[in-house]
Structures are given as structure tokens and as C-alpha cells.
Amino acid sequence: MEALQNLINEHLGPYGALMLVGLLGVFLILITLPVLLKKEVDPLDRLKTNARQDQKTAKGEKLRTGNDKDKLEKYSNFLEPQDAEEYSAVKLKLLQAGYRSKNAVRIYHFIQLAFSICGLLAGVIYAIFASSQSTVTTQNLALMILGPAIAMYLLPRYWVTRRQQMRREAIQNGFPDSLDMMLVCVEAGQSLDQSIIRVARELQAGFPELAEEYETVSQEMKAGKDKTSVLKDMAERSGTPDISSFVTVLVQSQQFGTSIADALRVYASEMRDKRVMRAEEAANKLPTKMTLATMMLTVPPLMAILIGPSIYAIMENLG
């Protein structure tokens, strides 16, 4: 045992035994995880689950619909939140990011799990290599192993959040133009449904995200869904306050029987003014943002040009 310990310390450093134990633990976890996930379900539990799902379906409370071709369906209890509110929040975030698949939540959590495992393995390999080169403290060793795993686990969340913000900005930028097109279509004699279809077709090249939302609205209206519910769902999917206000205007116009063209004309004018104000706000912020970069890139060369010759002359005189 002493010879083995000396051999380990010689190749891996003083914490070589601890690293081997940790690597063995990770290996055992990776071996045991598929066995736990593929655990056979008791027939009585399967009957209870099916009965519970039938009750939820009858009440309209089923959270998700399974797909026989989905390979991750058997791991749904492990990969998906079982709380209805948490599941709805993640699903809404993915919808606002543009991921509309019914298995998007399951795939999202699977990617998080897979990335974290890959980061953990990469951290273990890097820790072994660093320990073989020099002595590493326990704190640094833990950071080397857990740091990449945590970073890789948070990477999909950052990606989805970034996609959500970019999609909101794209919808917000194209929304005033879509209102102008819709106003032209309504004043030409088309109904609101036909106007939405035409606007979705025209916006496909310039603003595909907004065109996708309008196309979804038109398809849901064709399917017979209530117009108010369709518009509110669009506002929820987009996550943009401008569209939420627009939906409120259309719903109130429909309820009170006022002209949709007049409502669109007034709201389109407000959206144009709001877009101009956002552009002016961004332009006013630009000088403040450029101040630090200007100082860092301008002041050091200027100081070197002004003071450099004097310092050089002083150094020569002292020498």
C-alpha cells in the first residue's frame, strides 16, 4: 500500500489519492445513472399513473402530451419540472425565445444535464493534469472540477435568455411598420383576419419573428379559436408591452363596437413616436458609453507624446 501511495503521489501529486477517489465516484455515478433512469415501473404504479393522466385529460389539466417517437419520453419525470407553475414558466420562456416544440422543456433540461456532465469530466481531466504539473490546493482543486460544470450548466440558460431578448427587440422594432400595413389593409376594405394574413406575408423578409407571430394568430383564427384568446396568447408569447397594449386596444374596440381603423390609426401614430423616442434615447446614451473608451484610448498616447520626451531627457541626464 505504501508503494502504491508513493507511486500515486509521484505521478499525481500529494492529492492524487483524493483525485482518484473523486474520479472513481464520478465514474460510478455515470454508470449508475442510466440504470436508475431505466428502472422498471411497477405495474400498479403504471395503472395509477394512467388513471391520473386520464383524470387530468378529462379536466383539461394535462401539462404535456407524450410522443411515442420521442426518445426522452421515458425520462420525462426526471427531465421536466413536476410543478405546473414551474413548467409553465419554463415553457413560456422557451416560447418567447422562439422554441415552440412541445418537447422543448424536456430537451432544454436534457441539454443542461448533458452540458454539466461534460463540464464535470473536463474539470476532472484538467485537475489531474494541473496536479501532475504542480502542487494544487484543495480549494483550487474544487474550483477546477466544479467550475466548468457550473459554467456549462448555466450556458443553455444564458443562451435562451439572450435569444429571448433578441427576439423581443426584433418584434418591437418591426411592430410599428406592421401596424401601418394593417391600417392600410383595413382601410382598403379587408377584415382584421385577412389583414393579419397579408401583413404576415409582407413581413416575412424583413421581420421574420413578427411575421411568425402573425401567422400563428391567423392559423389559430382559422382553426376556430376565439379571437380575444388568440390575441392575448400572442401578447403572452411575444413578451412585449407594445403588443400587450395593442391587444388591449383591439379587444376594447371589439367590445365597444368602435372602428378598428380609427383605433389602429391612433395607436400606429403612437408607436411611431415611441420608436423615435427610443432611437433618441439610445443616441443620447452613446456619448456616455463612449467616454470611458475614449479616455482609455486617447489619454495614454497623449500623455506619452507630451511627457515622454521630458522623461527620456531626464533619464539621460541622470545617467
Side-chain angles (χ1 to χ4, degrees):
M1 294 297 294
E2 292 181 358
L4 180 61
Q5 185 176 1
N6 293 331
L7 182 63
I8 293 174
N9 293 335
E10 182 180 355
H11 289 83
L12 300 179
Y15 298 100
L18 181 61
M19 294 172 57
L20 288 179
V21 172
L23 184 61
L24 180 61
V26 172
F27 181 71
L28 292 177
I29 290 174
L30 294 178
I31 293 178
T32 310
L33 189 60
V35 178
L36 294 177
L37 293 177
K38 294 182 179 180
K39 182 175 63 176
E40 294 294 333
V41 182
D42 187 83
L44 294 177
D45 294 339
R46 188 183 296 112
L47 290 175
K48 292 180 182 179
T49 303
N50 293 335
R52 194 180 301 112
Q53 289 179 354
D54 293 339
Q55 292 177 359
K56 289 182 179 180
T57 305
K59 295 180 181 179
E61 298 178 355
K62 190 174 182 181
L63 295 180
R64 58 192 70 84
T65 303
N67 188 0
D68 295 336
K69 296 182 180 180
D70 186 13
K71 296 181 180 180
L72 299 177
E73 172 65 23
K74 63 179 74 174
Y75 310 129
S76 59
N77 293 331
F78 178 76
L79 295 175
E80 293 180 353
Q82 298 304 307
D83 183 60
E85 295 182 359
E86 184 179 358
Y87 181 85
S88 300
V90 177
K91 185 177 181 180
L92 178 60
K93 185 174 182 178
L94 292 173
L95 278 175
Q96 292 178 354
Y99 301 105
R100 299 175 177 245
S101 174
K102 62 182 179 181
N103 299 326
V105 178
R106 189 181 306 155
I107 296 173
Y108 170 69
H109 286 92
F110 173 74
I111 292 175
Q112 278 191 321
L113 177 62
F115 274 35
S116 60
I117 292 176
C118 293
L120 183 62
L121 292 177
V124 170
I125 294 174
Y126 178 72
I128 294 175
F129 175 76
S131 299
S132 63
Q133 298 295 324
S134 61
T135 304
V136 181
T137 62
T138 306
Q139 184 178 1
N140 293 335
L141 187 65
L143 290 176
M144 290 178 186
I145 295 175
L146 298 179
I150 296 174
M152 294 297 287
Y153 177 80
L154 297 177
L155 181 62
R157 183 176 301 180
Y158 169 77
W159 172 262
V160 171
T161 303
R162 183 59 181 167
R163 286 271 301 176
Q164 182 183 13
Q165 294 175 354
M166 293 175 60
R167 194 168 184 272
R168 284 180 179 176
E169 292 177 359
I171 291 175
Q172 190 172 1
N173 292 333
F175 186 61
D177 295 335
S178 68
L179 288 181
D180 293 334
M181 293 182 186
M182 195 177 300
L183 176 61
V184 172
C185 294
V186 171
E187 289 182 342
Q190 292 184 342
S191 64
L192 182 61
D193 302 351
Q194 295 173 344
S195 301
I196 291 176
I197 296 174
R198 182 59 184 268
V199 170
R201 191 184 308 124
E202 295 294 333
L203 291 176
Q204 192 64 44
F207 303 99
E209 296 85 1
L210 186 58
E212 184 181 3
E213 291 293 337
Y214 281 132
E215 187 175 357
T216 303
V217 169
S218 64
Q219 295 296 334
E220 290 181 350
M221 288 183 178
K222 287 181 181 179
K225 194 174 179 180
D226 183 53
K227 185 181 298 185
T228 303
S229 302
V230 170
L231 293 175
K232 289 182 178 180
D233 291 342
M234 175 188 175
E236 188 177 9
R237 286 194 308 269
S238 62
T240 306
D242 295 342
I243 296 184
S244 300
S245 303
F246 167 70
V247 170
T248 303
V249 169
L250 288 184
V251 171
Q252 291 179 352
S253 176
Q254 183 180 1
Q255 290 177 351
F256 295 114
T258 58
S259 174
I260 296 179
D262 294 339
L264 285 175
R265 186 180 297 106
V266 174
Y267 197 76
S269 177
E270 291 180 358
M271 288 297 101
R272 286 195 298 270
D273 295 339
K274 195 172 182 179
R275 181 169 60 180
V276 172
M277 287 190 294
R278 281 198 297 264
E280 292 177 351
E281 182 182 358
N284 292 330
K285 289 180 180 178
L286 190 60
T288 305
K289 294 180 180 179
M290 293 180 62
T291 301
L292 182 61
T294 304
M295 292 178 61
M296 292 178 62
L297 298 175
T298 305
V299 174
L302 183 62
M303 297 296 292
I305 293 173
L306 295 177
I307 306 176
S310 301
I311 295 177
Y312 180 75
I314 292 173
M315 295 298 294
E316 280 191 345
N317 294 330
L318 293 176

